[in-house]
Every structure is written in structure tokens, then in C-alpha cells.
Amino acid sequence: MAIDITDRVSTAARRDILDLERRISSFQSGDIADEAFRKFRLTRGVYGQRQPGVQMIRIKLPYGRITADQLIRIADLSDKYATGNLHATTRQDIQLHFVKLADSPQLWAELEDAGITLKEACGNTVRNVTGSARAGIDPTEPFDITPYAYSIFDYFLRNPICQDMGRKFKIAVSSSEADSAYGYMHDVGLVPRMQDGKRGFKVMLGGGLGAQPFSAQTASEFMEEERIIPFIEGVIRVFDRYGERQKRHKARMKYLLNDIGLEEMLRLVEEETLALKVKEFDVQGLTFNVATESDEQPSTVNIEAQTENPAYATWLKTNVFEQKQAGWYAVQLRVLLGDMHSDTARALAEIVKQYAADDIRVTVNQGYLLRFVRPENLPAVFDALDALGLAEPGFDTTADITTCPGTDTCNLAISSSYGITRALETMMREEFPDLVFNDDIKIKISGCMNGCGQHSVANIGYHGSSLKNGAYVLPALQVLLGGGFNGKGEGLIADKVIKIPSKRGPDSLRYLLRDFETNAFDGEYFSDYYARQGKNYFYQLLKPLADLKTLVNTDYIDWDHTEAYVTEVGVGECASVLIDLVATTLEEATEKAGWSREALTDGRWADALYHAYNVFVTGAKAALMSRDVPTNTQYGIINDFDKTFAGEPGFHPTEGDFKAQVFSINKQEPSEAFARQFLTDADAFLHSVQTYRDAQIEHDGLPELHELVQAKDS
């Protein structure tokens, strides 16, 4: 069935959608290896679920911004293609689950019709650029970071430098020194600053979560605004060239920075300057149709005197704040598990249309923020939200837990995240009701160590695990403490303290909260209290919960389950296939040469050069594979090809010539003449590799086919 794509969809998006449709057809016909198809679909936001035959679709929302009509479109498409649920993520995306692979191109087309993309929402690309949800209305911000976050997203979308990296790359832009976008745990984190009347940013590099979390290092205390995007491009180019590509668990930017050091990283970034598409990037402000554009200003009513309803008063205190625009208010929505039914989403959109600016922000703690609400309308907004179950107090407080979907849908999850989150929130509501007013202690939960729930930057964090007791296995939680922000506003990485059975999770939180209430100094932040008492203090506090001699039958059953727990890897999406790896790699190089020619035709000289550079790298990789020489970083591939093939017929006569030719990409400004010559050289090189490979096959016979098995998504 033909894909229905409207005229409102851009040419680039149209081609992406049709390309996805073709690749799905080829994959289902057995013409594309599973691993190659997996790599392709991930960069189109199509992610394999734990359940066979269905996909998770990740909708990319730069800095979490979405309009009311876009929210309605997503809700309608969830009904049409998914389950009627919208899951907000910690990276300000919205995910739809249980989508048929064959439906994903049409779903994408209908999203693009509403100005929403899936492109590069997953895979080894620049992921969604996150930004403080309060940007533009934050009373403490030096300026609105919204146009900067958007420009970063737009600049790197479909950019050749980040289409085939060794691993994903994450960027966050906070609105103030509070770093509410958690820049300190990102590959690039930005915090806005003013210096001598000039806008700029503190720049942090090399943060990351996962099994081995790192805090970012400060690359610059102040970088002028026009230098930010060129600097990020330089960083990505260095990461692309020198980053690990074989050992997946070591392939993040944080490991490269740790290996070579900040000084060397910055030197390599500087080396890329000449080759950059732009040396300065002037960020143009974005125009939003917000309520401040109205001549009619809000009234000056006393919002706390509008009602005697205690629920409303609590909601005002925990979920509402006055914007930097005097007299206007923002309303924050606490959403359990980040899940919202499509009917609720449509009703929320109507509330926005009636009472707020058409500028909804998905928040990093899986909620929503509405802006530019008049004070006289707050009671009506509360009543409308309350009818939808969206007026729960305690937004972004201890009572508001952040969590990933865990074993409900994710291939990598080890134990239930949703179940333990419900149990902890219920326990706190019943036993610690005042925690809806505590915005110091943040609790975050992930289904495994990978950290989608951001447990490593929580004051109290948990990640799913398992424990063995004799011949039996039970679900477990790794408890992490001391992360998040301390009293000085410093971002910290949590310590792993102890592993306990999952069913004892509520007890562990109960112990921690009661201990803090009893022993903390007045006004002491939890992470400061943790640092003062020390890791061993908390290990001893929770140690009784780790005693496996006191297990009961229910400890062997995970939250939200009735059957005995078993550790299991998510079901693979299809069978393995046999392919010629060298031939497949050469096909990739040929495709990249085509992209380079297309960029030349469009007058995009820097893009043409980078695509041609990738032709050299991929062709050299194919040649090395033909001799069973292991390959890894792009720099290593070029270096090893130089050593291995120098003097071979059809290749460079002297070692060092090939390396010099390829890395000449950094020695000249991007120009038409340089781009045309570089591509001509890349085409000639690729032809030489193909000729060499043909001769090799003629001499040695047909190559051995290699079995590619399903690899896990991430």
C-alpha cells in the first residue's frame, strides 16, 4: 500500500520516509541483513521492543516543545497505530509502543505533516537536544536558551558528520546555573552566562550515565554564543574520528575524553576549525505565538486567596510558579510513570488552547509544563486538570519519581521499573505525605544499569538487577545514593551502595527517609548528608534488607507480576542471515559516495567533503576486512590501511601518502574545487578497492559468508 505523504512534508523528510518503506520491504524479503537494517531503522526512531513483532516509535521533540495540535496528532496516531498511550521520556521525547514495523513509515508521514520528526531519535546519532522546560519564563535565567537549543537540533539534523558514529551523542542546554537540564551528565552540556554584556555559555564535555557514569569536565567557563555550534561540530568530528567502534560499552564520548584528556581533546577540536562549514553561527531568535503578545495583560489578583480548597492550595504551592514575565504563571503537570492516555492528551490540548500559550514543554522528569496562564484562570485550570487526574501535587519533588518503562517493553531491562515506582509512590503518599513539598530529594529508577531513568544522578536511585539464592533467582534493586545536586548546586554522580531484593524496595526507601528526618541538620541537602555520613553508614543501614536468609516466597516474584521471576533477554526480532561482510561494507561506501555527489549538486561543499571522507574510511575498512585485519576507530582504519596496503598495485606507493590524502580534509577551507577533487579521489580509491577485492576472489574463490545475529538496541 502506497504511503500517503502530504505537501506539508519537506523533501528531505519525504525521502527519508520512502527510504524507510523500501528498506522494510527489502528486509522482509531477506535482502538486507538484520544488523544493517537495525542500524538503519534506529536512526529513523524505530526501536525493537522486548515483545516480538512490534516496535517502539520515539518521537523527537527538541527541548520538549510541542503545540496543542501536535499533541492531538500524536494522541490520534497512538490510537491508530499503537496502544493509545503516550510515554514521556527523560529526554523530553514521546514514545509510542507496540507499533507494527510495516506501519512505521505511514505513522512517520503523518507526524511530519504536523511538523514532528523521528529522524535520529535513536541510533548512533546526535539524539534529541534537551533543554530546561522553564526556558523563556525562568525567573533566574540570564536569557532564553530556546533558540539556541532549537538551532543546535536543526544544525545537526541530517548533518553528515553525525550519521555513522560509533555511539550516540547527547546535548543538553540548561536555562540557568541550576543546570536543570542536567548538562553535567551529557556529552555536551551548556549553561547560559553573561560576560561584559555579551551572551555565552559555560561548556561541559564528556558526561554520561550507563554502567560507568562520568561527570562532565568544564571545557570553558564562558564561550561566546556564536562559537557554540562550531565548537560542538568540532567535538563531534573528533569523536567520530577517534572514538571507539568495536567495544560498544567503551564507545561513548566520556571514554575518549578520559583516555586522551581534556587538553588533547581541545587541541584536536581546534585542528578541525579550518574544515568547519561555519566558523561562527549567529543564532536567530524564534518567534512564538504566546500570550504576552496580547495587549491585554493579566490581572493582579492574589492567587492564594482565590479558594479555600486545600487541594488547590497545595497544587498552587508545588505545581505553579510565577514566570519572569510579571503577572503570568506556569503550571506543571505531574504524570505518573510519564504515561498519558490519548483521550487525556486531547483534553489537555483543549485546556491549553483555552487557558495557556500554545507552547507545551515535556519536562526531563516526564511531566508537562504549561506557560502564560493568567492568574484569574488558575482555579479553572486546576479544576480541568483535576478532572483528568493531572492535578496531583508535588511536581518534581521527592514524591514524583522518574522511571523508564523497564521490563514492560525494553529489551535490556532486568526487572520491573513501573511496578516498584507505583509501590514507592504509594508508600510515600500514605506514610510521608509532606514529601510533596520536598524538592531536594529526587528519586529515579531504571530497569537496568544503562540509565534511561537517570538513576546515577538521583539523590536516591535504583536500577533493576537480579540476585541468586542457591538454585533460584530473584528480582533485585541496586541502591544508589548521593547523586544529583548538593547544597552548593554541584552536580554529583551517585555511589552504588547495596543490592537488595526488589520487594524490599519500599523498606529501603522507608529506612532512608526516616534516617534523614532523624539525623540530618536543619536545611541540609540529602546529598550533603550522604557525603557527611559516608557510604559505609548507609550500607550498614540497609544491610539487613540484603539478608537472603529471610526471603519469603513473594520475593521471587517481581512487581506487577504473578509468576516466578526469571532473568530473560528480550526476544530477538528475526533470524540471523549469512552475508559477505566485505561486499556489504563496499556497498555502504558506494552509498556514501552517492550522498557526496548529491551534496555537491546542492552546493553543500562541507557536507560533500565529509561524505567523501567517509568513502575513504569505509573503503579502507572493507580492504582491511578482506585480509582479516581488525578495524576500530576511523583514525586507526586509515593508519592501518596505510601500513598494510602501501606499495600494493593500485594503491599509494609510499606509507603515509594515503593518510595524508584522507586527512587533508582538515587542511583546507570547504570549497567547490576542493570538494570535487576530494570526491574524485575517493571514487578512484573505492574503484581500486573493488578491483583489488575482485582479483582476490578470482584468486582465492568466493568469500566465506558470515552469520549476523540480532544485536540488542540501545
Side-chain angles (χ1 to χ4, degrees):
M1 188 170 117
I3 302 296
D4 181 17
I5 305 178
T6 69
D7 293 339
R8 288 187 291 271
V9 177
S10 71
T11 300
R14 178 184 298 268
R15 185 170 66 175
D16 283 338
I17 293 163
L18 294 176
D19 196 16
L20 175 60
E21 182 189 30
R22 284 192 294 270
R23 298 289 183 108
I24 289 173
S25 178
S26 296
F27 171 67
Q28 292 175 335
S29 299
D31 297 331
I32 300 179
D34 175 48
E35 177 64 15
F37 178 67
R38 185 188 73 92
K39 179 179 172 183
F40 172 84
R41 64 169 166 73
L42 281 172
T43 57
R44 276 79 183 165
V46 182
Y47 188 110
Q49 283 188 200
R50 192 178 193 89
Q51 297 81 4
V54 291
Q55 316 293 317
M56 177 269 284
I57 301 296
R58 180 174 292 152
I59 300 169
K60 193 174 186 180
L61 303 175
Y63 53 94
R65 184 174 188 264
I66 188 171
T67 67
D69 284 340
Q70 287 174 333
L71 183 60
I72 291 170
R73 177 63 59 91
I74 294 173
D76 290 345
L77 293 177
S78 183
D79 286 341
K80 186 175 180 180
Y81 297 111
T83 61
N85 183 60
L86 287 68
H87 176 71
T89 78
T90 55
R91 295 202 56 74
Q92 297 173 286
D93 300 304
I94 289 178
Q95 293 178 173
L96 307 182
H97 292 91
F98 296 93
V99 175
K100 295 177 182 177
L101 180 61
D103 286 339
S104 57
Q106 184 61 55
L107 190 160
W108 188 1
E110 294 178 47
L111 285 169
E112 288 283 355
D113 177 71
I116 310 167
T117 192
L118 304 182
K119 183 69 171 175
E120 296 154 40
C122 309
N124 298 334
T125 60
V126 173
R127 297 288 184 87
N128 193 30
V129 177
T130 57
S132 296
R134 293 188 176 197
I137 61 173
D138 186 347
T140 65
E141 69 183 19
F143 54 87
D144 184 5
I145 58 89
T146 298
Y148 300 89
Y150 178 82
S151 296
I152 294 168
F153 150 77
D154 188 58
Y155 186 85
F156 292 107
L157 185 69
R158 299 185 176 90
N159 194 311
I161 69 166
C162 50
Q163 297 305 300
D164 191 25
M165 297 188 294
R167 208 66 168 83
K168 57 192 172 184
F169 197 92
K170 297 180 177 180
I171 302 169
V173 192
S174 285
S175 61
S176 71
E177 293 291 338
D179 195 16
S180 59
Y182 292 93
Y184 81 93
M185 65 168 205
H186 283 75
D187 296 293
V188 174
L190 303 174
V191 172
R193 287 180 171 175
M194 297 292 295
Q195 185 171 296
D196 300 326
K198 172 75 174 173
R199 289 183 177 188
F201 292 85
K202 174 185 177 181
V203 181
M204 296 171 281
L205 291 180
L209 300 182
Q212 191 174 359
F214 283 64
S215 286
Q217 300 180 43
T218 300
S220 174
E221 290 290 351
F222 183 84
M223 184 177 291
E224 295 83 355
E225 58 178 342
E226 66 272 11
R227 291 182 54 207
I228 292 298
I229 284 178
F231 177 78
I232 295 174
E233 179 176 351
V235 170
I236 293 173
R237 290 169 74 111
V238 171
F239 174 59
D240 194 32
R241 186 161 302 142
Y242 295 95
E244 171 71 39
R245 286 175 178 264
Q246 294 301 314
K247 299 173 184 175
R248 188 169 179 79
H249 64 288
K250 291 288 186 181
R252 290 298 300 274
M253 167 78 174
K254 61 187 179 182
Y255 294 110
L256 174 62
L257 180 59
N258 190 59
D259 288 345
I260 68 175
L262 181 60
E263 184 177 349
E264 175 66 6
M265 169 63 72
L266 296 178
R267 186 189 71 78
L268 291 172
V269 171
E270 182 63 27
E271 279 189 355
E272 299 292 327
T273 300
L274 191 61
L276 299 181
K277 188 185 303 185
V278 294
K279 309 303 184 289
E280 293 185 352
F281 191 98
D282 182 22
V283 173
Q284 300 299 317
L286 302 178
T287 301
F288 296 119
N289 181 24
V290 296
T292 49
E293 294 179 355
S294 170
D295 293 333
E296 184 183 351
Q297 292 299 304
S299 64
T300 55
V301 301
N302 181 349
I303 63 172
E304 295 181 1
Q306 288 176 287
T307 180
E308 296 180 358
N309 180 354
Y312 174 73
T314 301
W315 176 79
L316 276 182
K317 190 169 183 178
T318 64
N319 293 34
V320 178
F321 67 92
E322 185 174 6
Q323 301 176 181
K324 72 177 184 181
Q325 296 85 1
W328 294 98
Y329 288 83
V331 174
Q332 301 168 118
L333 279 59
R334 179 180 166 189
V335 180
L336 178 64
L337 310 175
D339 286 343
M340 184 182 293
H341 191 273
S342 56
D343 290 341
T344 304
R346 281 185 286 267
L348 173 62
E350 294 306 319
I351 295 172
V352 171
K353 288 182 178 183
Q354 184 173 1
Y355 295 113
D358 193 16
D359 184 357
I360 308 164
R361 303 287 173 103
V362 179
T363 66
V364 295
N365 66 320
Q366 301 174 291
Y368 292 79
L369 184 146
L370 314 183
R371 47 187 57 206
F372 292 99
V373 177
R374 297 176 183 277
E376 61 268 29
N377 289 335
L378 285 170
V381 170
F382 170 78
D383 289 340
L385 292 175
D386 193 37
L388 297 175
L390 295 177
E392 280 292 308
F395 176 86
D396 200 28
T397 63
T398 309
D400 186 9
I401 298 176
T402 300
T403 183
C404 72
T407 49
D408 278 37
T409 56
C410 181
N411 263 320
L412 303 179
I414 302 171
S415 64
S416 171
S417 302
Y418 276 8
I420 182 60
T421 298
R422 290 190 188 96
L424 294 181
E425 290 202 358
T426 298
M427 184 274 290
M428 286 189 288
R429 184 168 56 250
E430 294 174 352
E431 301 181 29
F432 301 89
D434 287 344
L435 287 178
V436 295
F437 301 108
N438 185 315
D439 59 2
D440 161 30
I441 303 174
K442 301 292 195 299
I443 303 172
K444 300 178 184 289
I445 299 174
S446 300
C448 70
M449 67 180 68
N450 285 312
C452 293
Q454 302 178 343
H455 58 268
S456 294
V457 291
N459 307 106
I460 300 174
Y462 297 93
H463 81 66
S465 188
S466 62
L467 282 167
K468 199 165 185 181
N469 185 34
Y472 300 95
V473 179
L474 63 151
L477 292 170
Q478 174 67 57
V479 183
L480 300 95
L481 300 173
F485 296 99
N486 62 15
K488 298 177 182 178
E490 298 166 329
L492 306 171
I493 299 295
D495 291 333
K496 291 183 178 180
V497 174
I498 196 168
K499 189 187 290 189
I500 61 173
S502 289
K503 285 297 179 69
R504 298 178 182 179
D507 278 338
S508 71
L509 183 56
R510 191 177 285 117
Y511 284 16
L512 291 167
L513 294 175
R514 286 177 178 167
D515 176 79
F516 183 66
E517 283 183 347
T518 303
N519 299 314
F521 298 149
D522 286 344
E524 188 173 23
Y525 280 70
F526 183 88
S527 290
D528 291 330
Y529 175 65
Y530 171 79
R532 177 165 64 84
Q533 295 285 33
K535 178 178 176 179
N536 186 60
Y537 173 87
F538 290 92
Y539 174 82
Q540 296 299 331
L541 176 69
L542 299 177
K543 187 177 179 181
L545 299 178
D547 185 1
L548 300 186
K549 295 190 294 292
T550 58
L551 290 173
V552 296
N553 289 339
T554 53
D555 288 322
Y556 294 93
I557 300 172
D558 205 358
W559 294 100
D560 279 356
H561 290 260
T562 56
E563 74 283 359
Y565 173 81
V566 292
T567 53
E568 54 183 339
V569 175
V571 179
E573 298 172 58
C574 66
S576 59
V577 293
L578 296 174
I579 65 168
D580 178 352
L581 292 176
V582 177
T584 299
T585 305
L586 286 171
E587 287 174 9
E588 289 181 15
T590 301
E591 184 178 39
K592 290 170 182 176
W595 295 341
S596 182
R597 279 186 285 277
E598 183 177 309
L600 271 177
T601 301
D602 294 342
R604 295 180 284 116
W605 316 132
D607 290 355
L609 281 162
Y610 210 84
H611 283 312
Y613 160 77
N614 274 316
V615 173
F616 279 115
V617 173
T618 310
K621 178 181 177 180
L624 291 168
M625 291 168 65
S626 74
R627 288 196 178 181
D628 295 325
V629 177
T631 62
N632 192 356
T633 67
Q634 288 185 344
Y635 184 85
I637 288 169
I638 300 306
N639 210 43
D640 289 345
F641 181 90
D642 228 354
K643 294 177 181 178
T644 305
F645 285 91
E648 290 274 354
F651 296 120
H652 290 80
T654 307
E655 184 177 331
D657 290 347
F658 178 68
K659 184 176 178 181
Q661 181 185 40
V662 176
F663 292 140
S664 69
I665 188 175
N666 288 344
K667 303 299 187 288
Q668 298 183 47
E669 293 274 358
S671 66
E672 180 178 3
F674 181 30
R676 290 192 182 281
Q677 185 58 55
F678 201 64
L679 177 57
T680 297
D681 294 343
D683 279 335
F685 170 71
L686 186 57
H687 177 72
S688 296
V689 174
Q690 187 64 66
T691 301
Y692 168 80
R693 181 58 172 165
D694 291 343
Q696 187 183 44
I697 291 174
E698 184 176 350
H699 183 270
D700 298 335
L702 291 173
E704 176 185 356
L705 297 182
H706 295 262
E707 184 177 37
L708 280 187
V709 296
Q710 171 65 25
K712 292 178 181 177
D713 294 318
S714 69

